[in-house]
Amino acid sequence: MPAIVVLGAQWGDEGKGKATDLLATSETIDFVVRTSGGHNAGHTIVINGEKYATHLLPSGILTPGATSVIANGVVVSPEALFRELDGLLERGVEMGGLVVSANAHVIASYHSTIDKVTERFLGKNQIGTTGRGIGPAYADKINRVGIRVADLFDEGILQQKVEAALDVRNHLLTKVYNRRAVDADAVVEELLSYADRLRPMVADTSLLLNKALDEGRTVLFEGAQATMLDVDHGTYPFVTSSNAIAGGVCTGAGVGPTRIDRVIGVIKAYSTRVGSGPFPTELFDDDGLNLQKLGGEIGVSTGRTRRCGWYDAVVARYAARVNGLTEFFLTKLDILGAWDEIPVCVGYEIDGTRVDEMPMTQTEFHHAKPVYETFEGWNSDISGCRTFAELPKQAQTYVQALEDISGARIWGVGVGPGREQTLTVHD
Ligand code: GDP
Ligand code: IMO
Ligand code: MG
């Protein structure tokens, strides 16, 4: 299997880190590649009971035999990159190699300043961003005033580009937000301070990955964020600023769509969301609190409590469609072991009309009321199960029912955070 995509099918935090780690260690994966987002991601990997979190780095960094790649579509904060690498080095982690695209855009400190002041300015309309400067860095990229990794190796060019980027930004900061202007020379100095350490890691990652695929090597693309946070296909404007869907892998890595063999959508057995925006199955009662508590639903990057709700099959079918999913990896089934009955959203009612597909407009989505079908719970701890047959009958029925209504087969099921706490439904 040369090219595999792993991505989020809901609003993020589905367990992409676990799925990536599982594939990276169970199959011979040569490269693990991030193609979008930045250190707004927080991916958890649990190896032999030891917990790790990756943000900007691909989770493959924990697989010594694999090379990790940060491709052109990622926005790279050099400060966050080295902080993360140093954190792993301090823990004595054995790491694989790391390659960073020369074309990836750089997040400088002014991007996170702008991210935070913009959010404050939006007040009750804020997006609830991670404050990492992701949106402003992508905005500069689209406005053609971005700084790219290769620019760090040419001081003259870097100075020109930082000045151009700050020209309009400083007017905005001083005149609209009443803030101090950012000093271009200080930004250049800070960015140059990372250049020597970064230089040996930098390459043409599109060339590297296409050559690898030509040689029949296996490449795993590790999605960040998720389908419903995609800037085009998510719940705009309550989204991130990149394409988190499968299509984003092609632009974000410079790899053509014909090269992709499997697209795996990671999906929780219930739903969560961090930050603002519509969420039809959100629960405001004890069930919501219990999902949050039992599922440990606290953000890995920001420590924010995640909003919780039941599984939404409309979202699942939408994710299957816009990503062309070949399969799902269903996580956190074990968390549902505390319920007698488990509701699943099978469709919506929007202004009195039953709807089975994602509505066309955001206004309709805001009005969507979930239509539930209820399944019998299994009321037991399934975290020790290792085969589908070992699951209680009710859990098997729940998984099969989700498969029937979600638009793609379920390849594997997670019954705990550990690598080994996984069972295969279909080979
Ligand atoms: P990601 O951003 O998609 O990689 O997901 P996060 O790491 O942000 O959040 C997923 C959380 O669920 C992490 O704490 C994982 O360790 C945990 N997790 C993943 N799969 C399972 C599972 O099957 N069962 C349980 N109980 N926890 C899981
Ligand atoms: P992983 O990869 C969950 C959310 C933020 C906010 C919105 C925009 O761990 O699944 P941004 O800082 O990207 O401009 O914020 O997107 N968000 C995530 N939510 N998991 C993530 O990553 C997220 N990355 C961004 O909470 O609502
Ligand atoms: Mg996460």
Side-chain angles (χ1 to χ4, degrees), residues 272-305:
T272 64
R273 166 161 216 174
V274 201
S276 320
F279 179 5
T281 64
E282 183 170 13
L283 294 164
F284 301 95
D285 56 8
D286 283 349
D287 284 331
L289 279 176
N290 286 332
L291 282 173
Q292 199 267 315
K293 209 167 70 202
L294 298 170
E297 297 298 350
I298 309 266
V300 181
S301 283
T302 56
R304 289 180 293 176
T305 300

mmCIF file of all heavy atoms in Angstrom, residues 272-305:
data_model
loop_
_atom_site.group_PDB
_atom_site.id
_atom_site.type_symbol
_atom_site.label_atom_id
_atom_site.label_comp_id
_atom_site.label_asym_id
_atom_site.label_seq_id
_atom_site.Cartn_x
_atom_site.Cartn_y
_atom_site.Cartn_z
ATOM 1 N N THR A 272 -17.118 15.366 19.440
ATOM 2 C CA THR A 272 -16.620 16.466 20.269
ATOM 3 C C THR A 272 -16.231 17.636 19.368
ATOM 4 O O THR A 272 -16.012 17.462 18.171
ATOM 5 C CB THR A 272 -15.377 16.088 21.112
ATOM 6 O OG1 THR A 272 -14.287 15.775 20.233
ATOM 7 C CG2 THR A 272 -15.642 14.922 22.035
ATOM 8 N N ARG A 273 -16.158 18.787 19.972
ATOM 9 C CA ARG A 273 -15.718 19.988 19.256
ATOM 10 C C ARG A 273 -15.072 20.943 20.248
ATOM 11 O O ARG A 273 -15.578 21.097 21.367
ATOM 12 C CB ARG A 273 -16.958 20.607 18.583
ATOM 13 C CG ARG A 273 -16.762 22.002 18.081
ATOM 14 C CD ARG A 273 -17.753 22.487 17.058
ATOM 15 N NE ARG A 273 -16.955 23.331 16.174
ATOM 16 C CZ ARG A 273 -17.345 23.905 15.060
ATOM 17 N NH1 ARG A 273 -18.568 23.732 14.623
ATOM 18 N NH2 ARG A 273 -16.525 24.650 14.355
ATOM 19 N N VAL A 274 -13.987 21.606 19.848
ATOM 20 C CA VAL A 274 -13.372 22.657 20.674
ATOM 21 C C VAL A 274 -13.585 23.985 19.954
ATOM 22 O O VAL A 274 -13.531 24.026 18.740
ATOM 23 C CB VAL A 274 -11.843 22.480 20.844
ATOM 24 C CG1 VAL A 274 -11.336 23.220 22.056
ATOM 25 C CG2 VAL A 274 -11.449 21.039 20.910
ATOM 26 N N GLY A 275 -13.785 25.045 20.692
ATOM 27 C CA GLY A 275 -13.980 26.348 20.054
ATOM 28 C C GLY A 275 -15.447 26.551 19.685
ATOM 29 O O GLY A 275 -16.308 25.730 20.015
ATOM 30 N N SER A 276 -15.711 27.670 18.976
ATOM 31 C CA SER A 276 -17.096 28.036 18.679
ATOM 32 C C SER A 276 -17.608 27.322 17.434
ATOM 33 O O SER A 276 -16.841 26.687 16.721
ATOM 34 C CB SER A 276 -17.179 29.544 18.438
ATOM 35 O OG SER A 276 -16.372 30.243 19.338
ATOM 36 N N GLY A 277 -18.908 27.489 17.186
ATOM 37 C CA GLY A 277 -19.489 26.986 15.942
ATOM 38 C C GLY A 277 -20.567 25.954 16.168
ATOM 39 O O GLY A 277 -20.656 25.366 17.239
ATOM 40 N N PRO A 278 -21.393 25.728 15.133
ATOM 41 C CA PRO A 278 -22.540 24.829 15.273
ATOM 42 C C PRO A 278 -22.137 23.372 15.500
ATOM 43 O O PRO A 278 -21.105 22.927 15.003
ATOM 44 C CB PRO A 278 -23.270 24.978 13.929
ATOM 45 C CG PRO A 278 -22.232 25.473 12.984
ATOM 46 C CD PRO A 278 -21.278 26.304 13.783
ATOM 47 N N PHE A 279 -22.955 22.660 16.248
ATOM 48 C CA PHE A 279 -22.661 21.277 16.644
ATOM 49 C C PHE A 279 -24.020 20.651 17.005
ATOM 50 O O PHE A 279 -24.442 20.682 18.159
ATOM 51 C CB PHE A 279 -21.711 21.344 17.852
ATOM 52 C CG PHE A 279 -21.286 20.038 18.456
ATOM 53 C CD1 PHE A 279 -21.623 18.800 17.914
ATOM 54 C CD2 PHE A 279 -20.516 20.052 19.619
ATOM 55 C CE1 PHE A 279 -21.208 17.612 18.502
ATOM 56 C CE2 PHE A 279 -20.094 18.868 20.219
ATOM 57 C CZ PHE A 279 -20.454 17.653 19.665
ATOM 58 N N PRO A 280 -24.733 20.101 16.003
ATOM 59 C CA PRO A 280 -26.122 19.680 16.209
ATOM 60 C C PRO A 280 -26.346 18.694 17.354
ATOM 61 O O PRO A 280 -27.348 18.783 18.049
ATOM 62 C CB PRO A 280 -26.504 19.042 14.863
ATOM 63 C CG PRO A 280 -25.600 19.684 13.881
ATOM 64 C CD PRO A 280 -24.311 19.954 14.602
ATOM 65 N N THR A 281 -25.420 17.746 17.573
ATOM 66 C CA THR A 281 -25.708 16.737 18.605
ATOM 67 C C THR A 281 -25.120 17.112 19.973
ATOM 68 O O THR A 281 -25.093 16.277 20.883
ATOM 69 C CB THR A 281 -25.189 15.337 18.192
ATOM 70 O OG1 THR A 281 -23.754 15.383 18.101
ATOM 71 C CG2 THR A 281 -25.768 14.868 16.879
ATOM 72 N N GLU A 282 -24.686 18.353 20.112
ATOM 73 C CA GLU A 282 -24.089 18.758 21.400
ATOM 74 C C GLU A 282 -25.058 18.533 22.557
ATOM 75 O O GLU A 282 -26.261 18.806 22.452
ATOM 76 C CB GLU A 282 -23.692 20.249 21.353
ATOM 77 C CG GLU A 282 -23.000 20.695 22.631
ATOM 78 C CD GLU A 282 -22.391 22.097 22.509
ATOM 79 O OE1 GLU A 282 -22.700 22.815 21.538
ATOM 80 O OE2 GLU A 282 -21.587 22.451 23.396
ATOM 81 N N LEU A 283 -24.509 18.025 23.670
ATOM 82 C CA LEU A 283 -25.323 17.742 24.853
ATOM 83 C C LEU A 283 -25.002 18.760 25.944
ATOM 84 O O LEU A 283 -23.831 19.078 26.179
ATOM 85 C CB LEU A 283 -25.015 16.331 25.364
ATOM 86 C CG LEU A 283 -25.425 15.191 24.430
ATOM 87 C CD1 LEU A 283 -24.739 13.889 24.848
ATOM 88 C CD2 LEU A 283 -26.940 15.005 24.435
ATOM 89 N N PHE A 284 -26.030 19.227 26.613
ATOM 90 C CA PHE A 284 -25.835 20.195 27.698
ATOM 91 C C PHE A 284 -26.265 19.603 29.037
ATOM 92 O O PHE A 284 -26.476 20.309 30.000
ATOM 93 C CB PHE A 284 -26.626 21.475 27.390
ATOM 94 C CG PHE A 284 -26.202 22.125 26.092
ATOM 95 C CD1 PHE A 284 -26.892 21.863 24.904
ATOM 96 C CD2 PHE A 284 -25.094 22.960 26.045
ATOM 97 C CE1 PHE A 284 -26.490 22.443 23.705
ATOM 98 C CE2 PHE A 284 -24.688 23.544 24.855
ATOM 99 C CZ PHE A 284 -25.389 23.277 23.676
ATOM 100 N N ASP A 285 -26.419 18.265 29.060
ATOM 101 C CA ASP A 285 -26.924 17.603 30.268
ATOM 102 C C ASP A 285 -25.844 16.700 30.875
ATOM 103 O O ASP A 285 -24.666 16.783 30.515
ATOM 104 C CB ASP A 285 -28.178 16.783 29.912
ATOM 105 C CG ASP A 285 -27.901 15.787 28.792
ATOM 106 O OD1 ASP A 285 -26.710 15.623 28.410
ATOM 107 O OD2 ASP A 285 -28.839 15.160 28.291
ATOM 108 N N ASP A 286 -26.267 15.804 31.755
ATOM 109 C CA ASP A 286 -25.311 14.907 32.412
ATOM 110 C C ASP A 286 -24.602 13.984 31.413
ATOM 111 O O ASP A 286 -23.439 13.617 31.620
ATOM 112 C CB ASP A 286 -26.030 14.041 33.459
ATOM 113 C CG ASP A 286 -26.298 14.868 34.714
ATOM 114 O OD1 ASP A 286 -25.752 15.987 34.805
ATOM 115 O OD2 ASP A 286 -27.060 14.389 35.576
ATOM 116 N N ASP A 287 -25.317 13.600 30.355
ATOM 117 C CA ASP A 287 -24.680 12.738 29.354
ATOM 118 C C ASP A 287 -23.469 13.434 28.736
ATOM 119 O O ASP A 287 -22.405 12.839 28.552
ATOM 120 C CB ASP A 287 -25.675 12.368 28.244
ATOM 121 C CG ASP A 287 -26.664 11.299 28.701
ATOM 122 O OD1 ASP A 287 -26.294 10.494 29.575
ATOM 123 O OD2 ASP A 287 -27.793 11.280 28.187
ATOM 124 N N GLY A 288 -23.645 14.738 28.459
ATOM 125 C CA GLY A 288 -22.536 15.514 27.903
ATOM 126 C C GLY A 288 -21.380 15.584 28.881
ATOM 127 O O GLY A 288 -20.208 15.393 28.516
ATOM 128 N N LEU A 289 -21.721 15.845 30.133
ATOM 129 C CA LEU A 289 -20.681 15.944 31.167
ATOM 130 C C LEU A 289 -19.959 14.617 31.350
ATOM 131 O O LEU A 289 -18.736 14.565 31.508
ATOM 132 C CB LEU A 289 -21.311 16.351 32.504
ATOM 133 C CG LEU A 289 -21.592 17.833 32.698
ATOM 134 C CD1 LEU A 289 -22.304 18.076 34.020
ATOM 135 C CD2 LEU A 289 -20.267 18.613 32.647
ATOM 136 N N ASN A 290 -20.732 13.527 31.298
ATOM 137 C CA ASN A 290 -20.118 12.204 31.469
ATOM 138 C C ASN A 290 -19.235 11.812 30.282
ATOM 139 O O ASN A 290 -18.179 11.210 30.474
ATOM 140 C CB ASN A 290 -21.199 11.140 31.707
ATOM 141 C CG ASN A 290 -21.764 11.263 33.111
ATOM 142 O OD1 ASN A 290 -21.066 11.714 34.029
ATOM 143 N ND2 ASN A 290 -23.030 10.904 33.284
ATOM 144 N N LEU A 291 -19.658 12.178 29.078
ATOM 145 C CA LEU A 291 -18.804 11.906 27.908
ATOM 146 C C LEU A 291 -17.490 12.665 28.070
ATOM 147 O O LEU A 291 -16.404 12.143 27.827
ATOM 148 C CB LEU A 291 -19.489 12.347 26.614
ATOM 149 C CG LEU A 291 -20.575 11.426 26.048
ATOM 150 C CD1 LEU A 291 -21.263 12.084 24.858
ATOM 151 C CD2 LEU A 291 -19.995 10.078 25.616
ATOM 152 N N GLN A 292 -17.621 13.916 28.529
ATOM 153 C CA GLN A 292 -16.444 14.768 28.698
ATOM 154 C C GLN A 292 -15.502 14.166 29.751
ATOM 155 O O GLN A 292 -14.295 14.070 29.534
ATOM 156 C CB GLN A 292 -16.924 16.169 29.096
ATOM 157 C CG GLN A 292 -15.920 17.275 28.886
ATOM 158 C CD GLN A 292 -15.113 17.529 30.131
ATOM 159 O OE1 GLN A 292 -15.662 17.595 31.235
ATOM 160 N NE2 GLN A 292 -13.819 17.655 29.961
ATOM 161 N N LYS A 293 -16.116 13.718 30.854
ATOM 162 C CA LYS A 293 -15.328 13.209 31.978
ATOM 163 C C LYS A 293 -14.719 11.843 31.651
ATOM 164 O O LYS A 293 -13.515 11.635 31.767
ATOM 165 C CB LYS A 293 -16.237 13.110 33.210
ATOM 166 C CG LYS A 293 -15.498 13.282 34.523
ATOM 167 C CD LYS A 293 -16.438 13.498 35.691
ATOM 168 C CE LYS A 293 -17.206 12.223 35.988
ATOM 169 N NZ LYS A 293 -18.453 12.435 36.714
ATOM 170 N N LEU A 294 -15.571 10.925 31.216
ATOM 171 C CA LEU A 294 -15.098 9.554 30.960
ATOM 172 C C LEU A 294 -14.154 9.512 29.761
ATOM 173 O O LEU A 294 -13.215 8.718 29.715
ATOM 174 C CB LEU A 294 -16.278 8.602 30.743
ATOM 175 C CG LEU A 294 -17.220 8.448 31.938
ATOM 176 C CD1 LEU A 294 -18.487 7.697 31.556
ATOM 177 C CD2 LEU A 294 -16.503 7.714 33.078
ATOM 178 N N GLY A 295 -14.435 10.384 28.772
ATOM 179 C CA GLY A 295 -13.600 10.400 27.565
ATOM 180 C C GLY A 295 -12.338 11.238 27.739
ATOM 181 O O GLY A 295 -11.514 11.300 26.829
ATOM 182 N N GLY A 296 -12.203 11.901 28.887
ATOM 183 C CA GLY A 296 -11.025 12.765 29.108
ATOM 184 C C GLY A 296 -10.953 13.842 28.044
ATOM 185 O O GLY A 296 -9.884 14.118 27.491
ATOM 186 N N GLU A 297 -12.083 14.457 27.745
ATOM 187 C CA GLU A 297 -12.151 15.373 26.602
ATOM 188 C C GLU A 297 -11.646 16.771 26.956
ATOM 189 O O GLU A 297 -12.401 17.717 27.138
ATOM 190 C CB GLU A 297 -13.575 15.402 26.022
ATOM 191 C CG GLU A 297 -14.028 14.059 25.467
ATOM 192 C CD GLU A 297 -13.188 13.540 24.286
ATOM 193 O OE1 GLU A 297 -12.365 14.295 23.747
ATOM 194 O OE2 GLU A 297 -13.358 12.365 23.921
ATOM 195 N N ILE A 298 -10.338 16.857 27.050
ATOM 196 C CA ILE A 298 -9.633 18.116 27.326
ATOM 197 C C ILE A 298 -8.618 18.297 26.199
ATOM 198 O O ILE A 298 -7.902 17.350 25.873
ATOM 199 C CB ILE A 298 -8.853 18.028 28.662
ATOM 200 C CG1 ILE A 298 -9.744 17.527 29.801
ATOM 201 C CG2 ILE A 298 -8.161 19.357 28.991
ATOM 202 C CD1 ILE A 298 -10.399 18.549 30.650
ATOM 203 N N GLY A 299 -8.566 19.490 25.625
ATOM 204 C CA GLY A 299 -7.681 19.735 24.486
ATOM 205 C C GLY A 299 -6.206 19.478 24.792
ATOM 206 O O GLY A 299 -5.725 19.881 25.844
ATOM 207 N N VAL A 300 -5.520 18.828 23.851
ATOM 208 C CA VAL A 300 -4.100 18.493 24.021
ATOM 209 C C VAL A 300 -3.220 19.733 23.848
ATOM 210 O O VAL A 300 -2.184 19.875 24.484
ATOM 211 C CB VAL A 300 -3.679 17.419 22.975
ATOM 212 C CG1 VAL A 300 -2.222 17.025 23.138
ATOM 213 C CG2 VAL A 300 -4.568 16.205 23.057
ATOM 214 N N SER A 301 -3.661 20.667 22.990
ATOM 215 C CA SER A 301 -2.839 21.856 22.724
ATOM 216 C C SER A 301 -3.181 22.994 23.660
ATOM 217 O O SER A 301 -2.305 23.724 24.107
ATOM 218 C CB SER A 301 -3.049 22.340 21.285
ATOM 219 O OG SER A 301 -2.339 21.524 20.414
ATOM 220 N N THR A 302 -4.473 23.181 23.948
ATOM 221 C CA THR A 302 -4.877 24.394 24.664
ATOM 222 C C THR A 302 -5.435 24.114 26.053
ATOM 223 O O THR A 302 -5.688 25.057 26.809
ATOM 224 C CB THR A 302 -5.968 25.141 23.855
ATOM 225 O OG1 THR A 302 -7.055 24.229 23.634
ATOM 226 C CG2 THR A 302 -5.438 25.633 22.526
ATOM 227 N N GLY A 303 -5.665 22.846 26.376
ATOM 228 C CA GLY A 303 -6.212 22.503 27.699
ATOM 229 C C GLY A 303 -7.672 22.906 27.864
ATOM 230 O O GLY A 303 -8.212 22.888 28.966
ATOM 231 N N ARG A 304 -8.325 23.264 26.739
ATOM 232 C CA ARG A 304 -9.733 23.654 26.836
ATOM 233 C C ARG A 304 -10.630 22.416 26.904
ATOM 234 O O ARG A 304 -10.321 21.379 26.305
ATOM 235 C CB ARG A 304 -10.143 24.485 25.616
ATOM 236 C CG ARG A 304 -9.547 25.872 25.597
ATOM 237 C CD ARG A 304 -9.986 26.647 24.370
ATOM 238 N NE ARG A 304 -9.431 26.080 23.140
ATOM 239 C CZ ARG A 304 -9.727 26.521 21.921
ATOM 240 N NH1 ARG A 304 -10.582 27.503 21.762
ATOM 241 N NH2 ARG A 304 -9.175 25.974 20.848
ATOM 242 N N THR A 305 -11.750 22.551 27.616
ATOM 243 C CA THR A 305 -12.718 21.461 27.695
ATOM 244 C C THR A 305 -13.396 21.309 26.331
ATOM 245 O O THR A 305 -13.773 22.299 25.717
ATOM 246 C CB THR A 305 -13.790 21.809 28.759
ATOM 247 O OG1 THR A 305 -13.105 21.979 29.987
ATOM 248 C CG2 THR A 305 -14.821 20.723 28.895
#
